[in-house]
Amino acid sequence: MLPVGYYIALSAILFTLGALGVLIRRNSIVIFMSIELMLNAGNLAFVAFARAYQSLSGQIFVFFIMAVAAAEVAVGLALIVAIFQTKRSIDVDQLNTMQG
Amino acid sequence: MNVQDLYAISPLIVLVTWATLLILVDVYIIRDRNGGTPILAALGLLVAMGFAIAQTGQQYTAFNGMAVVDGFAIFLQVLFLGSGLVGIALAYNYLQRMGIERSEYYILLLYSISGMMLMAIAADLIVVFLALELLSIPLYVLAGFGRPKVEPEEAALKYFLLGAFAGGFVVYGIALAFGATATTSLAGIVQAVNAGSANLTLLSIGAALILIGLGFKVAAVPFHMWTPDVYQGAPSAVTAFMSVGAKAGGFAALLRVFVSALPELAADLSPVLWVLAALTMILGNVVAIAQGNIKRLLAYSSIAHAGYILMALVVFGNTQVSSDAVAAALFYLVAYAVTSFGAWAVVIALEKAEQKGLALDDYAGLGRKYPGLAAAMAVFMLSFTGVPPTLGFVGKLYLFRTVLEGGFIWLAVIGVLTSLVSAYYYLRIVVIMYMRDGDPQVHAEPWLRLTAGVTAVATVVLSLYAGPLFAWASQAVLKLF
């Protein structure tokens, strides 16, 4: 079995990729996918640690995160569809109606 | 699970059940849009508040240490339920006037409050995360409640993307904290740290990530970028609720997690919090000066006030001061809630459709034409600034005192100086209201007048009886272990 450090390193890489994706990409859906990547990096870290500690609570947490992520998808995609209907674009750089 | 576990979350059970039944009642029984849904929602909040107050003075943990009932939890639950009542009062006529009257507003409000209440009793990082999402997801929808218009939709999407981004940080932070201590329970983390079995480096990184995530929620600089746009685009009644409820929810989590579980990390994290608090106070107050739109101005003002409350968190590692600091933070949250709701009530009274009536110039002549409303607004602005005799002054006094007791003199100096800066833009509104001529259009419906009047009176009167209120907040400090 691989040592837990490898899994954590992978999850850290995934988390960083997700965070960079949110900051760099301009398409709302891609940003949202990057956020999901961050959540799943958290899931991977949880599962790896839970395995290392032989602890169930870490694995249970993953279920909660997946359920919450599903709820976020429901709301997030609805919002993206709504803004596409109004603006015909989901580019976050064009979300600039309000300025001060 | 036993009866006491259920008793611990009884206010929550009542509220969630009530909200869920209200959806059905609204669809099948009430049917028409201006029916009794707001009244029933308010009734639900009052019943839940009764259950929360009934637990006063008790301290116990429930669900194997996942939830805790203590003074802190009850104090905050009452604050959240109260802000829900004001949120309903502010929205009742406003939604009609803006043509967005949908009874889902009240139901989503109840769900969001249930998330905040869960946050108040959370004693495990799993519960903290669930509560954070439960309070946020309904708020994303509420922020876009003015659709199909472009501003609310933009506000909702921005709030959602940055809120979910922050959620990602919280999840990964919790994962690292779990890796460092092999537990997610706050009590367990303290035990692991005291027993020396915790990996403190990993725990510090995890705590920093949690801090970033919650920093987004409370709008601390440099995680504040979403605040002005979201506050401006969301319907004002939602903004008012968001500026009080979501902020207090975020601070509930910060105080609970950092003060009760992570005091050992103070050497690493206090300087970070120091910088965050100082930046938040400076940037919030300085940028607010340049704003010409009242909603953006209040958004930056809310950022600045988050900075003041963060000052209380800076001393979290000093166990002699930290309980005073928590009490000061709770007191300031109440002071901010009362003042902020009042100010938003006045903003809502002047707002017109299509984002009109929100420029500072629209307040010209208010003093002559509507003296009562203008006087109330002046009181709120003085309270935001921190001029006696108002709640804002007393709140800042307690905050600065704990910061000085904790030995952070320069932070208190920055706090006082930025308060002086804030006087410029708060008092400018008062000057515009009284010194300039204009013809303001006001829709002061009874509920708005009541809210503005009651909060204005409370801002002044409660400041004269601040001692008992602070004593109540002092009893509300965290008694987790």
Side-chain angles (χ1 to χ4, degrees), chain A residues 10-92:
Chain A
L10 177 62
S11 83
I13 292 168
L14 286 176
F15 182 80
T16 315
L17 283 179
L20 284 177
V22 174
L23 298 174
I24 293 170
R25 301 302 293 265
R26 300 290 74 178
N27 182 307
S28 304
I29 301 237
V30 179
I31 291 179
F32 190 39
M33 282 159 60
S34 304
I35 292 170
E36 293 292 310
L37 193 61
M38 292 167 72
L39 291 178
N40 281 318
N43 281 347
L44 179 60
F46 261 116
V47 173
F49 282 130
R51 174 84 179 154
Y53 296 132
Q54 297 292 320
S55 139
L56 267 182
S57 66
Q59 299 183 19
I60 303 289
F61 205 145
V62 173
F63 283 110
F64 282 114
I65 294 172
M66 289 190 324
V68 165
E72 270 185 351
V73 169
V75 170
L77 289 184
L79 288 175
I80 293 174
V81 168
I83 201 135
F84 182 75
Q85 285 172 345
T86 316
K87 290 197 78 155
R88 293 278 140 196
S89 162
I90 53 169
D91 189 326
V92 286

Side-chain angles (χ1 to χ4, degrees), chain B residues 275-290:
Chain B
V275 174
L276 279 187
L279 277 179
T280 310
M281 289 188 287
I282 294 170
L283 189 132
N285 280 318
V286 170
V287 181
I289 293 175

Side-chain angles (χ1 to χ4, degrees), chain A residues 11-12 15 32 35 38 46 49 53 58 61 64-65 68 72 75-76 82-83 85-87 95-98 100, chain B residues 126 130 133 137 147 150 153-154 156-158 160-161 164-165 168-169 171-172 174-175 178-179 182 229 232-233 296:
Chain A
S11 83
F15 182 80
F32 190 39
I35 292 170
M38 292 167 72
F46 261 116
F49 282 130
Y53 296 132
F61 205 145
F64 282 114
I65 294 172
V68 165
E72 270 185 351
V75 170
I83 201 135
Q85 285 172 345
T86 316
K87 290 197 78 155
L95 302 183
N96 54 6
T97 313
M98 291 163 290
Chain B
I126 295 183
L130 285 178
E133 296 296 330
I137 292 177
R147 82 173 291 261
V150 73
E153 287 179 356
E154 269 191 34
L157 189 61
K158 278 181 188 171
F160 167 75
L161 287 176
F165 188 48
F169 279 98
V171 164
Y172 204 70
I174 295 173
F178 173 68
D229 286 355
Q232 187 190 351
R296 290 186 87 85

Side-chain angles (χ1 to χ4, degrees), chain B residues 106-170:
Chain B
Y106 306 101
I107 293 154
L108 288 168
L109 195 74
L110 294 197
Y111 280 125
S112 183
I113 293 168
S114 68
M116 294 166 191
M117 290 170 65
L118 187 62
M119 187 69 93
I121 60 169
D124 190 295
L125 291 174
I126 295 183
V127 184
V128 170
F129 172 68
L130 285 178
L132 189 68
E133 296 296 330
L134 182 54
L135 86 83
S136 299
I137 292 177
L139 277 181
Y140 303 146
V141 183
L142 282 175
F145 210 70
R147 82 173 291 261
K149 288 201 194 76
V150 73
E151 291 92 355
E153 287 179 356
E154 269 191 34
L157 189 61
K158 278 181 188 171
Y159 192 32
F160 167 75
L161 287 176
L162 284 166
F165 188 48
F169 279 98
V170 173

